[in-house]
């Protein structure tokens, strides 16, 4: 049987394209994954906001087989029921404190929150009320709050209560002009700042990408704090992304911890 050079060359070209195409696809997939390293390890704390609304994805999030911290809105319709679910799931509790924002509508903060028009004593009473509803909260982070985070007087009044209770504060970093770290240091309040936002998207792959970024920060710095959400800002999509990436991130050297563990 004679060798047909034209067909032979065609077959070789086809084989090469398939081989290279396969390698390209594999390379792209490898680029997405967090690099596995035996040398670097890091702790990653995930803080999930917006519990307290009976939000979509609540059950899926609480079923995750890793430690994380649940930030609960203190003055919402489902605060008590969601808090009990969080306790039953063995997750850590934070207060997700509504605070005045420079943008958006006042009703997005709610009737009960921290506002610049309040006196220091009114702010104190509001923060103490939140802790009376969620007495086992080990810390607080801001819901919205760009206006308060830039206002020294108002934020100082919040920090005074946290200092007295011996709990920590997480700055959600809703403004680049935040005074959170400065005032926390002045008041002696343990402080952490958000490194990565995980969601506010319906894209599973985008949430995974953001989670990988958080893992890379943790492997580089030794620790990282990522914030996600239940409800419309994240919910089931965020829970699914975290669940699917747990094996990959743990293999890469990530240890999942609570926010209070990270603060230590």
């Amino acid at each position: 049987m004679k060798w047909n050079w034209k067909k032979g060359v065609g077959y070789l070209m086809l084989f090469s394209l398939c081989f290279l195409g396969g390698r390209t696809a594999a390379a792209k997939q490898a680029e997405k994954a967090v690099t596995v390293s035996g040398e670097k390890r890091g702790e990653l704390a995930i803080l999930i906001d917006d519990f307290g609304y009976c939000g979509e994805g609540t059950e899926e999030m609480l079923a995750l087989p890793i430690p994380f911290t649940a930030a609960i809105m203190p003055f919402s319709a489902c605060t008590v029921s969601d808090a009990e679910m969080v306790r039953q799931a063995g997750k850590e509790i934070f207060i997700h404190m509504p605070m005045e924002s420079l943008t958006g509508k006042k009703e997005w903060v709610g009737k009960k929150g921290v506002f610049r028009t309040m006196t220091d004593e009114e702010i104190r009473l509001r923060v103490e009320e939140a802790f009376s509803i969620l007495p086992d909260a080990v810390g607080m982070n801001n819901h919205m709050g760009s206006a308060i985070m830039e206002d020294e007087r108002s934020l100082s009044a919040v920090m005074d209560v946290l200092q007295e209770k011996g709990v920590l504060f997480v700055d959600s970093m809703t403004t680049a002009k935040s005074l959170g770290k400065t005032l926390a240091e002045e008041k002696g309040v343990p402080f952490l700042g958000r490194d990565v936002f995980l969601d506010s998207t319906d894209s599973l792959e985008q949430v995974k990408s953001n989670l990988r970024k958080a893992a890379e920060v943790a492997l580089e710095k030794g620790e990282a704090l990522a914030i996600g959400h239940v409800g419309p800002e994240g919910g089931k999509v965020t829970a699914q992304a975290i669940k699917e990436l747990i094996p990959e991130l743990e293999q890469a050297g990530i240890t999942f911890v609570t926010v209070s563990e990270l603060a230590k």
Side-chain angles (χ1 to χ4, degrees):
M1 181 177 177
K2 292 185 179 181
W3 172 258
N4 187 317
W5 286 101
K6 289 185 178 180
K7 288 186 177 180
V9 171
Y11 289 145
L12 286 172
M13 290 179 66
L14 180 62
F15 174 79
S16 297
L17 287 171
C18 291
F19 178 72
L20 290 173
R23 289 194 62 184
T24 300
K28 287 182 178 179
Q29 185 63 33
E31 287 173 2
K32 291 181 180 179
V34 177
T35 302
V36 177
S37 171
E39 298 178 0
K40 291 185 177 181
R41 300 197 64 82
E43 292 184 331
L44 176 60
I46 298 178
L47 179 62
I48 301 296
D49 286 347
D50 292 350
F51 285 94
Y53 285 133
C54 295
E56 182 177 298
T58 293
E59 293 182 3
E60 289 84 353
M61 202 72 76
L62 293 177
L64 290 174
I66 58 170
F68 71 84
T69 301
I72 304 174
M73 301 285 289
F75 309 119
S76 299
C78 296
T79 295
V80 174
S81 59
D82 275 10
E84 187 54 34
M85 289 177 63
V86 171
R87 295 185 189 102
Q88 291 296 323
K91 308 303 183 185
E92 182 172 77
I93 291 179
F94 252 51
I95 292 173
H96 192 40
M97 192 70 188
M99 297 183 180
E100 181 182 354
S101 177
L102 292 169
T103 59
K105 300 177 181 179
K106 186 175 181 179
E107 54 262 34
W108 293 351
V109 178
K111 294 181 179 179
K112 282 193 172 182
V114 176
F115 298 93
R116 289 174 293 180
T117 54
M118 298 168 68
T119 66
D120 290 2
E121 182 61 19
E122 287 172 332
I123 292 174
R124 168 184 287 276
L125 291 174
R126 184 60 47 82
V127 175
E128 288 182 343
E129 183 183 359
F131 276 100
S132 72
I133 296 169
L134 297 167
D136 47 348
V138 299
M140 174 180 288
N141 73 321
N142 53 300
H143 170 66
M144 302 180 70
S146 54
I148 299 300
M149 297 307 298
E150 292 184 11
D151 187 76
E152 183 176 0
R153 182 195 65 82
S154 301
L155 187 56
S156 290
V158 173
M159 291 291 184
D160 284 339
V161 180
L162 303 185
Q163 189 276 330
E164 291 171 6
K165 293 186 176 295
V167 299
L168 64 101
F169 183 78
V170 167
D171 191 340
S172 300
M173 304 301 291
T174 55
T175 171
K177 298 178 181 179
S178 174
L179 298 174
K181 185 176 182 180
T182 299
L183 291 178
E185 289 177 349
E186 287 181 6
K187 303 284 185 178
V189 175
F191 174 89
L192 289 171
R194 185 234 348 134
D195 291 297
V196 176
F197 266 132
L198 295 179
D199 41 29
S200 296
T201 172
D202 292 329
S203 169
L204 182 67
E205 291 307 314
Q206 185 59 53
V207 178
K208 286 184 176 181
S209 176
N210 293 339
L211 188 56
R212 288 186 176 107
K213 289 177 184 176
E216 288 166 0
V217 172
L219 292 173
E220 185 62 31
K221 293 172 33 182
E223 62 182 44
L225 172 59
I227 293 181
H229 302 79
V230 290
E233 294 297 311
K236 292 182 179 180
V237 173
T238 300
Q240 185 65 26
I242 295 171
K243 180 180 179 180
E244 292 182 9
L245 281 192
I246 290 171
E248 175 189 315
L249 300 190
E250 289 182 333
Q251 185 180 9
I254 292 297
T255 299
F256 292 96
V257 297
T258 63
V259 172
S260 66
E261 288 173 330
L262 193 69
K264 294 176 182 177

